[in-house]
Amino acid sequence: CRPRDRRRRVAARHVVSPGTANSPAALWRAALPVAIGVVLTFCPVPPGLAPHAWRYFAVFVAVMVALVTEPFPAGVIGLVGVTLIAGLGLPFSEAQTIAPTFRLPAESIKWALAGFSNSTVWLIFGAFIFAMGYEKTGLGRRIALMLVRRLGGSTLGLGYAVMLADVVLAPFTPSNSARSGGIVFPVVRAIPPLYGSLPGESAGKVGAYLMWTAFAATCVTSSLFLTALAPNLLALEMVKKATGLEVSWVQWFLGFAPIGLPLLLALPWLVLKIYPPEIRASAEVPPWAAQELAKIGAVTRREWTMAVLVVVALGLWIFGGRWIDATLVALLAISLMVVGRVVTWDEIVAHTTAWNTFAWFATMLTLADGLNKVGFITWFGQRSATLLAGHSPLLVLVALVGFFFVVHYLFASLTAHTIAVLPVVLAAGAAIPGMPVRTLALLLVFSIGIMGVLTPYATGPAPVYYGCGYIGRRDFWRLGFIFGLIFLA
């Protein structure tokens, strides 16, 4: 190591990167949410809304902005928001008139921690551990390769293999980033070079078609299964708190399947027609998949154990709702995964994504519930009903669902969108006389997964497929708009 190189490395340690805490960009990302929250706090309270409800809303908006600017991890942002609101006693209207805030410490901490005991949050966590089991055992990659070997004789067949791989993994992988970006994408990424299809000029041979098919398919499967996307579970919990409606795993699937299944079956063909590849045959791919499977070897005991647990869990989720809770099924499966050495306890403890999501969703559910607790949702629904009065419930329903879908152009997170927009849109619709609230609620939650197709930042896997180099910037936005219209319709 030469002295000059050593000096360069020492100097590099003192350079502040754009993402560090002391950089101007990081300070701006932290200052903007605080500034917006302070400005809203000191704005005049809207007529008909209690002062403490407006202050709660100001903090809530600040938290939502922070989720967009990301000065800290999402779990930290949620924890700070819940702690601040609980410390101020804002969820309790009686604290403003009957007693000072400091006399309600027990109620405040009980409210702040309520999300961590929520069964939906634990179900989301359990599904992340399921996804880890797919990855650690290699079962997910094996399934994808087996489908490619069977269906990869043509480019259209490859499209169906990619789609089916996502379908098989989706019910047990609540992160479409882990499912599509972590399992399906690496397999799909290895196929185009077999045909000389590389990022750039030759992308159109077959690579661009496969990449868009994989991306669009994961958006549909994210809406098809309740447990295929974490915000789905979050949204149902918010719907339950706001309207009292409960939707089971089977009801969710049966509700979306009449549209979702035909859409999935048509998707590879639709992409072939709208975004056609230059190469239509793929004789080289099945032998390649067979070689990869040969390298993996025979199915291991861990894979068999994981497969059995997956089948049992799915069966209990579908048929066992009368006897066992869905969250308890997930916890039971995790326990058996550890006992059966599919995963180790140390691997579960080290799964930072699962724990971060757990903390994030626990605090976000609490914050969203607080909006209803302080009366903000009721107030907003009444004001919206006044503006929408005179129109038919069906027209309002279509307009609200369309607005909820299209406004995702402004969001880079399906979860943040769900938390910020779902309660107010649901409240606006529920306040309309004659509105079929259950239908409205289902249409809203069903659209959460499919809206991820809109932009290169709309959902977790989007940046992966956008950045792979096979789909150009103009094509990605154009296809997002076209398939967004198809999915919304």
Side-chain angles (χ1 to χ4, degrees):
C1 179
R2 292 178 297 177
R4 181 185 303 172
D5 295 332
R6 192 161 54 244
R7 286 196 300 272
R8 286 175 179 170
R9 287 201 304 275
V10 172
R13 295 192 190 108
H14 300 282
V15 176
V16 178
S17 66
T20 58
N22 295 326
S23 68
L27 292 175
W28 174 84
R29 291 198 300 268
L32 181 62
V34 174
I36 291 176
V38 170
V39 170
L40 285 175
T41 299
F42 289 99
C43 284
V45 179
L49 190 65
H52 75 284
W54 178 251
R55 289 194 289 272
Y56 186 104
F57 176 70
V59 178
F60 182 84
V61 171
V63 171
M64 293 300 104
V65 175
L67 289 175
V68 176
T69 60
E70 294 183 328
F72 303 103
V76 175
I77 295 170
L79 184 62
V80 169
V82 166
T83 303
L84 177 60
I85 289 175
L88 296 174
L90 293 179
F92 308 101
S93 58
E94 63 267 23
Q96 313 301 316
T97 56
I98 300 176
T101 301
F102 64 83
R103 294 183 183 177
L104 297 171
E107 290 298 323
S108 293
I109 191 63
K110 182 179 178 181
W111 173 83
L113 297 177
F116 290 93
S117 63
N118 187 280
S119 61
T120 300
V121 175
W122 280 103
L123 179 58
I124 295 171
F125 175 80
F128 269 93
I129 305 304
F130 255 111
M132 183 176 69
Y134 266 119
E135 179 184 356
K136 293 292 184 180
T137 62
L139 180 61
R141 176 174 169 80
R142 184 184 294 277
I143 291 172
L145 287 170
M146 289 173 64
L147 289 169
V148 169
R149 185 184 63 180
R150 292 288 184 185
L151 301 174
S154 66
T155 302
L156 181 61
L158 276 175
Y160 278 99
V162 168
M163 179 270 290
L164 287 173
D166 203 295
V167 171
V168 173
L169 300 173
F172 309 96
T173 316
S175 168
N176 55 7
S177 299
R179 177 174 74 250
S180 189
I183 299 176
V184 176
F185 175 78
V187 176
V188 176
R189 180 65 178 80
I191 296 174
L194 298 175
Y195 299 92
S197 181
L198 301 171
E201 293 183 1
S202 60
K205 288 184 177 180
V206 69
Y209 166 78
L210 290 179
M211 294 300 171
W212 185 260
T213 300
F215 174 59
T218 201
C219 293
V220 180
T221 57
S222 294
S223 283
L224 180 61
F225 302 104
L226 172 60
T227 46
L229 189 69
N232 291 345
L233 295 153
L234 178 68
L236 275 194
E237 187 66 19
M238 297 171 70
V239 167
K240 179 181 176 181
K241 289 181 178 295
T243 66
L245 295 175
E246 294 192 30
V247 180
S248 67
W249 194 97
V250 176
Q251 289 172 331
W252 177 291
F253 177 77
L254 293 178
F256 192 76
I259 291 297
L261 291 178
L263 185 58
L264 274 177
L265 291 174
L267 189 62
W269 179 82
L270 278 174
V271 180
L272 191 76
K273 294 299 182 182
I274 297 173
Y275 197 41
E278 298 172 13
I279 297 175
R280 300 299 179 97
S282 52
E284 292 87 349
V285 172
W288 167 81
Q291 291 175 4
E292 292 295 312
L293 285 169
K295 292 178 184 178
I296 295 175
V299 181
T300 64
R301 181 195 61 80
R302 294 174 68 208
E303 288 180 86
W304 278 118
T305 305
M306 183 67 199
V308 170
L309 289 176
V310 163
V311 172
V312 171
L314 183 60
L316 290 174
W317 279 342
I318 296 175
F319 303 109
R322 294 183 180 180
W323 303 282
I324 186 169
D325 183 80
T327 303
L328 188 57
V329 171
L331 295 178
L332 176 62
I334 293 173
S335 302
L336 293 175
M337 286 168 67
V338 175
V339 173
R341 298 182 180 180
V342 174
V343 297
T344 66
W345 180 247
D346 288 340
E347 288 173 335
I348 293 177
V349 172
H351 197 329
T352 55
T353 301
W355 289 110
N356 183 58
T357 303
F358 175 79
W360 179 14
F361 280 24
T363 52
M364 288 299 105
L365 270 177
T366 302
L367 289 171
D369 178 59
L371 279 177
N372 189 53
K373 188 177 184 66
V374 299
F376 181 87
I377 297 298
T378 301
W379 171 82
F380 182 86
Q382 292 172 347
R383 295 293 296 269
S384 300
T386 302
L387 296 175
L388 296 172
H391 300 286
S392 70
L394 179 60
L395 179 63
V396 174
L397 182 146
V398 172
L400 289 176
V401 174
F403 167 78
F404 183 70
F405 189 92
V406 173
V407 79
H408 191 60
Y409 273 104
L410 305 178
F411 286 86
S413 165
L414 292 173
T415 303
H417 178 192
T418 301
I419 296 168
V421 184
L422 178 61
V424 292
V425 172
L426 191 59
I432 301 297
M435 173 65 68
V437 178
R438 183 180 179 86
T439 301
L440 172 64
L442 287 174
L443 287 173
L444 292 174
V445 298
F446 284 157
S447 68
I448 293 172
I450 56 177
M451 69 176 62
V453 80
L454 289 174
T455 69
Y457 52 82
T459 186
V464 176
Y465 289 97
Y466 180 70
C468 71
Y470 279 97
I471 307 173
R473 177 180 58 85
R474 181 178 297 179
D475 282 342
F476 207 105
W477 283 95
R478 177 177 65 86
L479 291 169
F481 178 77
I482 293 172
F483 280 84
L485 288 178
I486 294 172
F487 290 178
L488 178 59

